[in-house]
Every structure is written in C-alpha cells, then in structure tokens.
C-alpha cells in the first residue's frame, strides 16, 4: 500500500508530517512567548550580593551567576534588580551610560529604578530591596 495515496482520505505520511510540523511550531511559539521568571526575593533574603566598592557611582555591575544587576545611581544609594530581561528572558549583560542593557533585542532599563528606557521590553526589571551592611550589599 502506498502511504501517500488513499482512497477518499489523507495519506498516513501526510498526517504524520503535518503533526510533526505543528508540534515543532507549538514548541517554538511557547519558547518565544514565555519570558523566564526572575528569582524570588525570598531565595536571596539575607544574602550579600555585592561589595560596595565594586559598584561605580552612576553605573552598576551585572552578576551573571546570580542573575542580578546592582547599581549605584547616586553616591551611597544602591539598587538591585533581576538581570532577566522582561521582554524575552535574556540575561542583561552590561551597564553603560546610566542604563542596564539587554543584548538580545536592545532593551534598556534605567539604573535608578529598573524602568524601561528603551523597548521592546514593556515592563521594568524586578527590584530587590537592599541595604548596606559594612562593605556589602545585602537583600533584605
């Protein structure tokens, strides 16, 4: 029997190929539309995430291992944000000229509050409350 020819119906090979293509499309669409989530604050509470001396005034530093970015918008004022871009879940990779940059699609976030400075992201980065303890920055 020929798999491509049937009498009055669709061939078995056509059905299997079509189902495979639909499955691949669903997986691809699912990956594109589901941004990865930021770490819960409870996972970080009480942990030192950076040293004050490592964070430049008006800038910041990305910590890829913890997926955090720590900034110092003004002298002695420290902020911590998730480094996971809210657009597609990529990891922001640097802080430059007062913005946190995502390399995937060009989104930028303000070092002052994590809000969107340039899209395509439409929502800001998750902020973690921090305080300085000695020379360390700790999530509270």
């Amino acid at each position: 029997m020929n798999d491509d020819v049937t009498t009055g119906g669709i061939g078995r090979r056509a059905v299997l190929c079509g189902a495979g293509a639909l499955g691949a499309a669903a997986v691809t669409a699912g990956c594109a539309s589901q941004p990865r989530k930021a770490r819960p604050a409870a996972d970080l509470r009480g942990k030192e995430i950076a040293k004050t001396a490592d964070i430049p005034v008006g800038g910041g530093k990305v910590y890829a291992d913890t997926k955090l970015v720590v900034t110092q918008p003004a002298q002695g004022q420290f902020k911590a944000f998730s480094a996971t871009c809210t657009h597609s879940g990529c990891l922001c990779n640097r802080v430059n000229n007062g913005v946190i940059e995502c390399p995937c699609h060009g989104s930028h976030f303000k070092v002052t509050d994590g809000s969107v400075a340039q899209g395509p992201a439409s929502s800001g980065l998750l902020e973690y409350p921090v305080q300085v303890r000695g020379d360390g920055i700790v999530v509270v």
Side-chain angles (χ1 to χ4, degrees):
M1 177 175 183
N2 185 339
D3 285 340
D4 289 332
V5 179
T6 62
T7 54
I10 299 173
R12 185 173 41 202
R13 188 174 292 156
V15 169
L16 292 174
C17 288
L22 284 173
V27 168
T28 302
C31 290
S33 65
Q34 294 289 335
R36 286 174 275 177
K37 301 293 183 195
R39 290 181 68 171
D43 288 357
L44 299 168
R45 193 165 289 122
K47 294 183 181 174
E48 182 177 293
I49 57 171
K51 296 287 186 188
T52 57
D54 294 338
I55 312 301
V57 176
K61 184 174 178 180
V62 176
Y63 293 90
D65 58 330
T66 57
K67 296 181 175 77
L68 295 173
V69 59
V70 181
T71 67
Q72 187 177 186
Q75 181 69 41
Q77 178 190 25
F78 295 93
K79 302 274 187 161
F81 306 99
S82 168
T84 303
C85 180
T86 57
H87 173 247
S88 66
C90 293
L91 188 66
C92 295
N93 67 341
R94 72 181 194 160
V95 181
N96 190 33
N97 294 323
V99 294
I100 301 159
E101 300 178 357
C102 178
C104 292
H105 301 107
S107 292
H108 292 172
F109 304 90
K110 297 176 186 176
V111 298
T112 55
D113 61 5
S115 64
V116 176
Q118 172 182 308
S122 60
S123 59
L125 299 174
L126 175 66
E127 183 173 356
Y128 297 97
V130 295
Q131 66 180 205
V132 175
R133 293 186 185 158
D135 64 348
I137 301 166
V138 177
V139 176
V140 292

